[in-house]
Every structure is written in C-alpha cells, then in structure tokens.
Amino acid sequence: MPVIEVTNLHKRYGDLVAVADVSFTVEAGEIFGVLGPNGAGKTTTVECVAGLRVPDGGGVSVLGLDPRRDAAQLRQRVGVQLQESQLPDQLRVSEALELYASFYRDPADPADLIDRLGLGDKRNTAYKKLSGGQKQRLSIALALVGNPSVAILDELTTGLDPQSRRDTWALIEQIRDSGVTIVLVTHFMEEAERLCDRVAVIDRGRVVALDSPAGLVSTVVPEQRIRFRPSAPVDDRLLTDLPEVTAMQRTGSQVVVTGTGDVLHAVTSVLARNQIIAADLRLEQSTLDDAFVELTGHRPAE
Amino acid sequence: MHAFGQILKIETRLFLRDFGSPLTTVVLPLALLLVFGLIPAMREPDPQYGDVSFVQYFAPSLLVITLAMSAVNILPTVLATYRERGVLRRLATTPASPAALLAAQLVISLATILVSAVLLIAVGRLAFDVPLPRRPLGFTLALILGTAALLALGLLVAAVARTTKSAQGLAVPLFMAVMFFGGVYVPRFLLPDFLVQIGDYTPPGVQALLDAWTGTSPHPLHLGIMAAVAVAAGAIAAKLFRWE
C-alpha cells in the first residue's frame, strides 16, 4: 500500500489556480522528488499533503490518514521541513530540539540526533550564530525529532554552498536508509538526479511527467551526443548512414554526432573499421536538466 | 499541556536572554522610582498633585511604562517576527499548536506586568512611604482592565501588520501615545486639561490606577472604556490574526 496517495488534487487562491490537477503515489522507503519551475504548485501540493492547507478538490491520504480529519495523528507521524522557516535568534540548538521533542509521543533522543546531524559541537550555540548549512541541518533535525514515518523536505539545499549541499544529500540518504519515506521538493536537477528514486515534474499545477530520473531522461530526451577529433578525414556518409545516427556536425576539427540507442558503439565500430582513431572522444548524455527544459519549457533555476 | 509548558519555559528564557526586554519592562520603571524617591522634595505631599507626594502621583505612570512596553511594543513585535520568520507556521506542522506560542507570550506579558506592579508597590511602600493601594479591589480591577485593553491593542497590531517592520511602524506611535497620555513623558499636572481628560480614557487608564491607589473609587466610565477597548480590539484581532 502506498504511503502517500494524492488523487486529482486541486487548490485555488481566489482566482489563481495553484494546483490544477495533481495525482501521484509515494511508496514506503522511497525518496520521491517533486520538481517544477517556481510557481508551478510544488509547495502548495506538499502543504496539502502535510495538512497545512485544505484542498479545494481531490483526495489526499497519508499513511492511510486524512490530513484534515486525522490531523493530530498525522502530525505525530509526519515531519515537515518548510521552505524558509527560521527559529528565534537566541534559541540554542539543544533547546530547539528538546522543545520540539516534547511535542511528540515517541521522540528521538535529541542529543543523539544532534550528533548524527553533525551539530555536536554546536549544541549550545544560538540559532543566529549558526552557518547556513548548520541552520539547515538543525531544521532537518527538527523534522526528524518526532521519529516520523514520512519526512517532507521543501527546498532543502537552497542557499547552501556546494559542500554543505553534498553533505546534506549524504544525510538524506542516511535518513532513508533508516526507513523514513521522504518527499523532497526541489528545483535543483542535480539534487533530484542524485537522490530521488522517482520524481514528479509539476508544471502550471499539473504533473507533466512521473518516472525515475533515468527513465525520465531516456524517454524525454533520448538523444546522446558524441564529440571527437578524427585522426584522418571522415566521409560524412560513413556516419550519417548509420541507423543510430540522427545528425552530424563539424566544428573546426571536431565532429559532433547526435544519435539514439547504441550510437556510441556504432560510431566507434565504423571508425575502427576505417582505421580512424577518435581522439578526445566524449559522450554527452542528456541530463535531468535537459528533460526538465523539454517538459516545462523553463530553464531550471540557477 | 506538556507542549505548552515547554513552550512557556523556552519563551521565558528567550525573554530573559533578550537583555532589553526585562530591562525596559521591569528595571527601568523601578530605577525611575528609586531616582525620584531619593529626592526628598518628591516625597512631600503637595496640593498640585492632589495632596500626595510626587512619587505617589507618578507611580501609576511608571506602571504605564511596563504596560506600554510589554503589551504594545514587545508583544506585537515578537509575534510579527515569529510569523515573518515562519516560526508559527513551523509549529503548525507539529503536534503543538501555534496558539500555544501566542498563549505563552500573553502569559509572559501578564507575568511581567504583575512583577513590575508588585515591585513598584512594595518598593514605594518600603522605601518612600507610598501607601499600598487604598482600594485594592478597585486597583486590581483597574490594572486588569487596563492590561486587557493594552494587550488587545498589541494583538491587534500583531494581527494587522504583515511584517516585523510594519508591526514596529504601528506599535511605535501607539506606544508613544500610551506613554504620553499615561503621563510618562510629561507629568500630567503639567498638561492642559483636555489632554489630561483624553489620558483618562486612553488605555491603560492611568487616572483610574491613581484614584484607586490614593483612595478614590475608580470612575466606572474609565473602567468601562477599558473593558470596551479590550473587547473590541480583542475581537477584531482574533478575526484578523493569521499564523502565516
């Protein structure tokens, strides 16, 4: 049985339709990504899942509970890390965790969680004095202190430097390995590619694609690009006649071949048969970035 | 209930840790009482203060400092900051309610006002011969209604303001008006009559406090206005208040 089930979710703010029609399911133990350009309805969608907003239509079920009717039960079992939520400046790390732990029936040990999240030497530090990465880790710790079955993490690594971002990713994988189902809202394609088992791409309030990151890339932008410098002149026809090749270009001494399927093997074989060596050979595969642009017509932010 | 207790404990700690809050609400009025009290002439009864000493005459205005600081300055600023920074929204995702945080802030305000009132009355009595409030019931009633009126106004500011900056923008003029009409900036006997009369009806109602302290029953209309302000501002605040 899926942990989260969203069916035909619809949410308006006045005349503005934030979520037109969104459906997806999240299975136990998954890291499920919700991707989309800014204003696509990602945050509203997860806010409905977390029970912070009342949908205008459609159904949401989390752990078999209705986020509205069973709000009290749900809050015990779902940890939420919201976009841009901060803490009072003077609140210390250990105080924040102990306070939040006191809200739950069966909380994690705050001291243990502080260590696990690498905040051990910051336990008596005021929130104001933490770095961006430390604030983010504290925020994740607060989402986990109730020992949740599901964690919803919104814009987890926005504003973090690349090292903190990678550290945070490693942390999320650890959390998943401990059995928590994770919903990750992000607009970083690299983050989704690295972490997510499956992603839903939301655009203008609708799900436009739902697949694993690799699956999404191979179905949406199946083309690969090969660049090399041939050691001897190459006849165009040699390459364009290959069924795998869809296009070929020359830029200076470089040849760029675009194709699908096993295009790399086809090209290198035909070159080898003609005693041509492909120097500086590079295979450029499409990324989730390309798929995202293809699906939404937007460049992902950053 | 457990969550509320924890929130109250933490919020109290934060209040004390923020040096300025206890300083302006409790230490400042007490220090002013000591300064005036140590001047012998200020302890002599004088007809222009209604045959009481200046210390006695000014004591309710010192209490106004605590009330104004706590209810219309600190309370709305803290609440607006918590809302702007998403502290309230974050609490809404946990089994604890943001209402618990609001309640904790109100308890802290009330406790601050109570502590300051007790200190001013006790120090005035022990050090400077200011009698205990001669009409304890009337005084308590005037203090409760005046406090309620100001807290309601503070909550109204917190409800109307969308950001911390706009909360401060609204709170500061309100705070100045409460302080001015409460006779803090200029003792009221120096003000023209019509300003004094406005002051009688301006929360927290310094005249009612002075009357009850010195032995006259507080005027029912003064008290009635405070109750009306408390109910009206409180109702509008409750209707407009948003957690995010």
Side-chain angles (χ1 to χ4, degrees), chain A residues 47 52-53 75-76 80 82 84-92 95 99-100 102-104 139 142-143, chain B residues 2-4 6-7 10-11 13-14 17-18 82 84-87 89-96 244:
Chain A
E47 282 175 342
L52 286 172
R53 297 200 186 278
R75 283 182 188 146
Q76 287 286 349
V80 183
L82 294 165
E84 283 164 24
S85 89
Q86 301 181 49
L87 292 169
D89 278 341
Q90 298 297 335
L91 189 64
R92 293 173 188 156
E95 287 174 336
L99 175 65
Y100 275 65
S102 76
F103 302 157
Y104 295 91
S139 187
L142 293 180
Chain B
H2 179 56
F4 173 71
Q6 292 296 316
I7 290 175
I10 293 287
E11 290 302 313
R13 237 187 253 172
L14 292 177
R17 206 172 278 166
D18 173 26
Y82 280 3
E84 184 173 272
R85 310 188 79 186
V87 175
R89 212 161 92 88
R90 170 126 223 181
L91 269 186
T93 69
T94 71
E244 54 184 271

Side-chain angles (χ1 to χ4, degrees), chain A residues 77-139:
Chain A
R77 299 179 60 193
V78 178
V80 183
Q81 198 259 176
L82 294 165
Q83 201 177 347
E84 283 164 24
S85 89
Q86 301 181 49
L87 292 169
D89 278 341
Q90 298 297 335
L91 189 64
R92 293 173 188 156
V93 169
S94 59
E95 287 174 336
L97 277 167
E98 277 158 24
L99 175 65
Y100 275 65
S102 76
F103 302 157
Y104 295 91
R105 272 198 298 270
D106 176 29
D109 175 20
D112 180 49
L113 201 54
I114 288 173
D115 287 336
R116 262 178 61 202
L117 286 155
L119 290 167
D121 53 340
K122 295 287 168 193
R123 70 181 68 238
N124 290 317
T125 304
Y127 181 76
K128 185 174 68 171
K129 301 224 168 114
L130 297 175
S131 72
Q134 289 160 350
K135 283 179 181 171
Q136 206 63 12
R137 271 181 278 158
L138 175 57
S139 187

